[in-house]
Amino acid sequence: MKIDLHAHSICSDGTTTPAEVVRAAKDAGLDVVALTDHDTIAGWEEGSAAAQETGVSLVRGIEVSCKHDGISLHLLAYLTNPTGQLFDELEKARVSRESRAQRMVERLAQDVDLTYADVLAHTTPGATIGRPHIADAMVSKKIVADRAEAFDTYLHSGSPYHVGHYALDPITAVQLVREAGGVPVMAHPFAARRGRTVADCVVHDMVDAGMLGIEVYHRDHNDAERERALAIAADRALIVTGSSDFHGAGKPNLLGENTTAPEQLERLLAAATSETKFVDAR
Ligand code: AMP
Ligand code: FE
Ligand code: FE
Ligand code: ZN
């Protein structure tokens, strides 16, 4: 059993459709894949149809944007109900992401040839807009070679062009995911190469609030960071996951490059209390 619990589609900042993510999962030899677009469930329906078609099992998920003391962090939410207060909050985040992208483009346009229309041309209608879409527009305009260069040069959180967006605090996020019957799992908790990360005590507070799992195996974790996550998992009896964080052509991450053990998936499925079913296509 090969299980990858973190992947993105064009419904957020991936570059392939939800159906293509599932088909690519099949090609990568995966038995189970989770679709976890940033702040949206727009890809769930298409993903589950593709799951039935291909025989790959789908875990419906979301990667919820959170912010603690100005530090951005991501909470994976699996198998939540599709309605409720969590979704009002996600809508707020998506709306805020639009004005934030506009403001970032205004700042960038003072120095480079870029318009908001250029950015919109790289998004799918209804998708959660993020800095990767600004990056893609900058690649098209030959301002940078790829997303990585755009982030390193213009879009990183310390850049003068950077603007933040509304995001839930992680404690509320954990509570709302549980209220929606879902399973909250902290994504790449200590990946310092992505930017500032939170202290262990914040992770413990999230566990106290009802968080059930932690993503340990992720390419952005070095050995020490992976061990740190494993230690908290052992201490707090958390579900341990591993995943690729696939973004299509937007990142080098390959489906199945990190995986989750079958018994950990069983724990995750057993912890969900929602009406949202695991699409078990086997
Ligand atoms: P945002 O959601 O707008 O704050 O942008 C963050 C997203 O940008 C993350 O979810 C990553 O997928 C993506 N990202 C961050 N750094 C890079 C990078 N160096 N190359 C490609 N994508 C990146
Ligand atoms: Fe992303
Ligand atoms: Fe993430
Ligand atoms: Zn992700």
Side-chain angles (χ1 to χ4, degrees):
M1 274 268 276
K2 230 176 139 186
I3 302 158
D4 184 343
L5 293 181
H6 186 165
H8 297 265
S9 76
I10 53 170
C11 293
S12 62
D13 55 1
T15 63
T16 59
T17 65
E20 284 163 350
V21 171
V22 174
R23 284 187 217 120
K26 172 99 183 163
D27 292 344
L30 290 172
D31 301 287
V32 182
V33 70
L35 186 66
T36 53
D37 277 306
H38 299 285
D39 301 326
T40 185
I41 60 169
W44 280 13
E45 234 180 83
E46 186 186 314
S48 65
Q52 316 274 6
E53 203 181 285
T54 56
V56 171
S57 299
L58 181 80
V59 181
R60 287 178 270 208
I62 313 162
E63 189 171 18
V64 180
S65 307
C66 302
K67 197 159 50 179
H68 172 82
D69 269 355
I71 300 172
S72 148
L73 60 135
H74 289 167
L75 183 72
L76 292 159
Y78 297 106
L79 299 168
T80 58
N81 283 319
T83 54
Q85 203 189 330
L86 174 64
F87 293 88
D88 300 339
E89 290 292 333
L90 296 182
E91 171 69 16
K92 236 168 115 176
R94 287 197 306 271
V95 168
S96 161
R97 280 169 162 283
E98 283 171 30
S99 48
R100 172 267 200 140
Q102 286 174 25
R103 287 171 61 201
M104 283 189 69
V105 171
E106 279 166 23
R107 292 187 182 187
L108 286 159
Q110 296 183 351
D111 295 322
V112 300
D113 175 26
L114 189 73
T115 67
Y116 192 58
D118 296 331
V119 175
L120 284 183
H122 287 273
T123 68
T124 311
T128 302
I129 189 165
R131 285 176 283 166
H133 301 108
I134 302 177
D136 289 348
M138 297 178 89
V139 172
S140 283
K141 287 286 195 83
K142 300 200 164 29
I143 299 164
V144 292
D146 54 22
R147 280 188 184 184
E149 187 188 338
F151 271 87
D152 289 345
T153 315
Y154 296 99
L155 305 178
H156 61 88
S157 59
S159 156
Y161 305 107
H162 185 265
V163 177
H165 64 79
Y166 173 78
L168 274 165
D169 78 84
I171 302 298
T172 309
V174 165
Q175 289 165 344
L176 291 181
V177 170
R178 290 299 297 274
E179 268 170 39
V183 183
V185 174
M186 189 166 182
H188 42 70
F190 303 126
R193 55 169 295 207
R194 306 175 64 104
R196 288 169 68 211
T197 59
V198 296
D200 285 20
C201 61
V202 177
V203 181
H204 283 287
D205 289 348
M206 292 167 74
V207 177
D208 291 342
M211 189 165 75
L212 297 171
I214 189 162
E215 189 179 61
V216 170
Y217 305 102
H218 186 287
R219 72 153 62 205
D220 292 344
H221 277 163
N222 64 26
D223 293 352
E225 291 162 349
R226 193 168 55 239
E227 290 309 313
R228 191 172 151 203
L230 259 184
I232 295 186
D235 182 22
R236 306 300 305 268
L238 297 175
I239 298 166
V240 170
T241 70
S243 36
S244 63
D245 206 352
F246 178 71
H247 279 70
K251 282 190 176 187
N253 309 28
L254 297 174
L255 281 165
E257 68 175 29
N258 280 295
T259 54
T260 298
E263 61 272 23
Q264 301 296 328
L265 174 64
E266 290 308 319
R267 289 177 71 190
L268 191 153
L269 297 178
T273 59
S274 65
E275 302 291 309
T276 299
K277 293 281 176 285
F278 171 49
V279 180
D280 188 351
R282 280 163 296 155

